[in-house]
Amino acid sequence: MSFGQILSLVPEALWESIYMTIGSTALAYVIGLPLGFVLVVTAKDGIHPMRALNMVLGAVVNFLRSIPFVILLFFVTPLTRFIMGRAIGSEAAIVPLVISAFPFVARMVEQSAKEVDRGVVEASQAMGASNWQIITKVLLPEAKPSLLNGAAVSATTILGYSAMAGCFGGGGLGSVAINYGYQRYDFLVMFVMIIVNVVLVQALQESGTRGARLADKRIR
Amino acid sequence: MAMIELSHLSKTYGSGENAVHALDDVSLEIEQGEIFGIIGLSGAGKSTLVRCINLLETPTSGTVTVDGKTMTSLNGKALREARRNIGMIFQGFDLLMQRTALENVRFPLELAHVPKAEANERAKELLKTVGLEGREGAYPAQLSGGMKQRVAIARALASNPKVLLCDEATSALDPTTTESILELLKELNRTLGVTVVVITHEMRVVERICSRVAIIADSHIAEQGEVQEVFLHPQTEAAKKLVLPSRAGKLEGFAEAEARDAADPCRGELIRLAFDGMTTDRPVIADMILSCGAPVSIVYADTRSIEGKLYGHTVLQLPGDEATADKLKRWLRDQGISYTKEVQ
Ligand SMILES: Nc1ncnc2c1ncn2[C@@H]1O[C@H](COP(=O)(O)OP(=O)(O)OP(=O)(O)O)[C@@H](O)[C@H]1O
Ligand SMILES: [Mg+2]
């Protein structure tokens, strides 16, 4: 393939990768964000300790996180087919991506929320804040910069997974790299896809870091 | 009726062998409108005590009554409502770092669902009261320690509390800033009539603003009363240890060896004079030396004059000769200056 032909493959693959990554990250946060807060709130030193629930959720999260993505990808195929109607393509890849990412996201969120100063939480309790108010008015806004940083890390990790999914029937940069680059021994294709991927990771990480810095009122 | 009433309050952390009795049968009454000091060494249970007042810590037994409400019988929403009646400030300020000064002060009003415009108005007013007019838009990271504590004070006052609890509120501040914060607290007490509870390990803080004080030692209230009375005539060992630091073997300001030499028995006994404001501010020691024609040496002195009256302590070493020493002591008694023999 000529370099021009290779470049013409980029836009669609790039779009598919972005689509999978953003979509999966968003959905992973829909589940992982509340889950992370539940983990913090119900912890032993949380604002509403619930030992049993915390242990069960912690165990589920650890279990899902311990399954390698490639295996999970095949393991959930029936579920993917049930939800999406098919197991192949970019949309279909979102199912295993979300399932593998939300426990990771939950831990990232948990970590960020835990960083909020205990004293501030106690001061809010002293002012008569309810637990819900503490979550929405203290933990969430105070952890915002850290959460944005975490989101950038999560998104880049999911992008990496999406490339893996691409190798096994998903779309995007990974699928082009495998189909043209590996199967047809066209290493230039592979190389170009890697470069595009690297640029994408940099862009995601940079925007996350920048967003976090802009949002953080502790500096300046 | 007292504004705050603690009755047989106990708090035990943990259980079994690891149990820590942070408070043991503490009873205390704090009157409406006073500034009450609670002083004690580190680990004595001061923070635990003050956190039991707004039930940040649940007492193991005993009752807490604030403004006629039995806090210990409240739960959930009723407790949260009652807490709005009690402001609290902390050593670490504990401001919301992602909110401006104004938004911090507005925070308790938001919690109580006060309409935003009204809350903003009140927050602005409060910032003005604590001397931070014009800094409404500043984030805590842009403010000095003293300013942060002022924001915290404004925030604590936003819900118009009857009581303001201060847990080591000036311990992280330099002496000048401490002075200004104490002045502000005193001012707010006077103008708003808010009852202030000051937790500290520093005597000067209590001396500066409190009318009454309780000394807490080893989870107990060792002593309580008027500040001058407790500080000048401590009755219990625990209180003496805290209030008269030089009693602990070593005389303050002297190295161990010097202190021993200074206390050499052949050079006469040591006596401690307590000035409790009954003596006018005149050169007492010089007078004594001139009137009796005998020298003494000043081993330790911590006195100050407030409104022309003398307060504090002085430790003197009398001459070895007993007759001269008696003469000096008689002179002191005649002048109405109380003294005690300083035990080594
Ligand atoms: N959450 C807790 N769990 C277990 N023990 C605690 C807890 N909080 C306090 N303690 C213990 O209770 C005792 C009293 O602690 P407290 O914090 O009330 O002391 P303090 O007088 O405020 O001391 P400081 O001047 O250092 O702040 C200490 O022995 C402390 O170790
Ligand atoms: Mg303390």
Side-chain angles (χ1 to χ4, degrees):
Chain A
M1 265 202 285
S2 74
F3 195 65
Q5 280 174 307
I6 296 174
L7 282 187
S8 71
L9 290 172
V10 170
E12 198 191 343
L14 180 62
W15 165 244
E16 280 178 358
S17 279
I18 292 176
Y19 170 83
M20 277 194 289
T21 304
I22 303 290
S24 307
T25 307
L27 288 172
Y29 267 87
V30 168
I31 308 170
L33 189 74
L35 181 57
F37 274 95
V38 170
L39 284 171
V40 172
V41 167
T42 60
K44 201 166 74 189
D45 58 351
I47 53 176
H48 190 91
M50 289 174 78
R51 207 181 131 89
L53 179 67
N54 190 269
M55 270 171 54
V56 169
L57 291 179
V60 169
V61 164
N62 287 345
F63 170 73
L64 288 174
R65 286 199 62 199
S66 64
I67 305 174
F69 178 67
V70 212
I71 295 175
L72 187 96
L73 185 63
F74 290 105
F75 184 70
V76 299
T77 309
L79 182 68
T80 309
R81 205 168 276 129
F82 175 75
I83 297 175
M84 293 296 186
R86 58 206 185 108
I88 300 285
S90 303
E91 281 91 0
I94 287 180
V95 174
L97 281 174
V98 170
I99 291 174
S100 84
F102 87 81
F104 174 75
V105 166
R107 287 290 185 216
M108 295 291 281
V109 169
E110 180 188 22
Q111 204 50 48
S112 296
K114 262 191 187 158
E115 279 167 26
V116 175
D117 191 354
R118 238 199 112 65
V120 178
V121 173
E122 288 202 333
S124 316
Q125 284 173 328
M127 284 181 263
S130 66
N131 286 345
W132 180 248
Q133 284 175 322
I134 290 174
I135 294 169
T136 56
K137 286 181 175 288
V138 182
L139 293 180
L140 203 52
E142 290 292 300
K144 190 163 119 192
S146 175
L147 285 170
L148 285 173
N149 262 324
V153 174
S154 302
T156 50
T157 306
I158 291 170
L159 176 64
Y161 285 175
S162 83
M164 230 188 283
C167 301
F168 299 97
L173 298 165
S175 120
V176 173
I178 282 291
N179 292 336
Y180 294 83
Y182 185 71
Q183 315 284 13
R184 300 188 198 167
Y185 303 103
D186 192 337
F187 286 98
L188 186 60
V189 175
M190 212 165 343
F191 186 70
V192 169
M193 293 308 142
I194 288 172
I195 295 295
V196 174
N197 210 53
V198 166
V199 171
L200 192 52
V201 168
Q202 294 288 349
L204 278 174
Q205 186 60 55
E206 187 57 25
S207 54
T209 311
R210 224 171 255 221
R213 203 166 46 219
L214 278 179
D216 196 349
K217 307 301 183 194
R218 285 172 296 186
I219 34 199
R220 271 191 302 174
Chain B
M1 196 179 147
M3 177 55 90
I4 302 173
E5 205 178 320
L6 311 180
S7 155
H8 304 291
L9 207 61
S10 294
K11 174 72 191 180
T12 305
Y13 291 108
S15 60
E17 265 181 37
N18 307 323
V20 178
H21 300 284
L23 291 178
D24 189 8
D25 195 27
V26 167
S27 293
L28 205 58
E29 281 191 12
I30 298 172
E31 298 302 326
Q32 142 86 45
E34 75 175 324
I35 304 186
F36 193 93
I38 295 173
I39 187 168
L41 297 173
S42 190
K46 306 183 294 292
S47 293
T48 307
L49 177 61
V50 78
R51 289 160 54 82
C52 279
I53 296 178
N54 59 5
L55 248 70
L56 275 183
E57 214 70 75
T58 314
T60 312
S61 64
T63 57
V64 176
T65 312
V66 178
D67 195 22
K69 276 208 189 74
T70 310
M71 300 293 289
T72 30
S73 69
L74 299 178
N75 263 316
K77 200 168 153 58
L79 177 60
R80 292 200 294 274
E81 295 283 339
R83 278 177 176 164
R84 298 202 176 122
N85 219 1
I86 307 172
M88 190 170 188
I89 57 174
F90 307 84
Q91 177 171 3
F93 322 125
D94 293 340
L95 297 174
L96 293 148
M97 298 304 282
Q98 307 294 347
R99 282 179 169 238
T100 62
L102 185 84
E103 289 165 342
N104 263 287
V105 178
R106 205 178 61 196
F107 181 66
L109 301 170
E110 279 176 33
L111 295 179
H113 306 291
V114 174
K116 196 159 178 174
E118 190 186 327
N120 272 337
E121 212 41 54
R122 172 130 181 84
K124 254 189 218 143
E125 215 173 277
L126 280 159
L127 281 174
K128 197 170 149 189
T129 310
V130 299
L132 284 180
E133 202 177 9
R135 303 309 301 266
E136 290 85 357
Y139 287 94
Q142 301 167 315
L143 298 172
S144 72
M147 288 171 166
K148 282 185 217 167
Q149 197 59 292
R150 282 167 190 271
V151 175
I153 291 171
R155 182 176 72 171
L157 294 173
S159 52
N160 253 323
K162 295 249 174 69
V163 173
L164 180 61
L165 307 175
C166 314
D167 189 359
E168 303 272 11
T170 58
S171 299
L173 304 174
D174 64 60
T176 316
T177 314
T178 294
E179 189 71 12
S180 74
I181 293 293
L182 294 178
E183 192 48 52
L184 175 64
L185 290 175
K186 202 167 183 173
E187 171 84 17
L188 293 169
N189 165 261
R190 207 165 39 90
T191 52
L192 306 175
V194 61
T195 306
V196 183
V197 181
V198 176
I199 302 287
T200 183
H201 61 267
E202 292 176 292
M203 276 182 54
R204 66 190 171 103
V205 170
V206 174
E207 281 179 328
R208 183 76 178 73
I209 61 169
C210 297
S211 49
R212 289 199 304 143
V213 64
I215 292 178
I216 181 165
D218 293 329
S219 322
H220 290 88
I221 301 284
E223 210 164 305
Q224 58 172 310
E226 301 290 325
V227 172
Q228 292 302 342
E229 190 55 33
V230 172
F231 280 8
L232 290 164
H233 305 292
Q235 303 297 318
T236 58
E237 263 319 300
K240 283 179 187 167
K241 209 160 141 189
L242 193 77
V243 175
L244 315 174
S246 58
R247 281 180 57 91
K250 164 176 145 201
L251 296 161
E252 202 168 58
F254 283 72
E256 289 287 349
E258 270 180 288
R260 229 183 0 259
D261 288 346
D264 188 356
C266 71
R267 284 170 55 199
E269 66 175 317
L270 290 173
I271 60 168
R272 175 182 290 271
L273 313 188
F275 299 104
D276 53 4
M278 303 304 284
T279 319
T280 48
D281 182 15
R282 62 192 167 96
V284 174
I285 313 277
D287 272 3
M288 176 172 73
I289 292 168
L290 289 174
S291 326
C292 303
V296 297
S297 51
I298 299 174
V299 176
Y300 164 84
D302 179 18
T303 56
R304 70 208 67 179
S305 85
I306 300 168
E307 291 165 352
K309 301 272 198 264
L310 204 57
Y311 294 91
H313 294 269
T314 300
V315 177
L316 296 180
Q317 184 163 38
L318 302 179
D321 170 29
E322 218 161 283
T324 320
D326 281 343
K327 190 172 168 193
L328 289 163
K329 287 196 259 186
R330 204 172 323 115
W331 186 87
L332 285 171
R333 278 197 297 274
D334 291 346
Q335 299 293 314
I337 298 166
S338 59
Y339 65 85
T340 49
K341 191 168 157 48
E342 184 71 359
V343 196
Q344 295 309 306

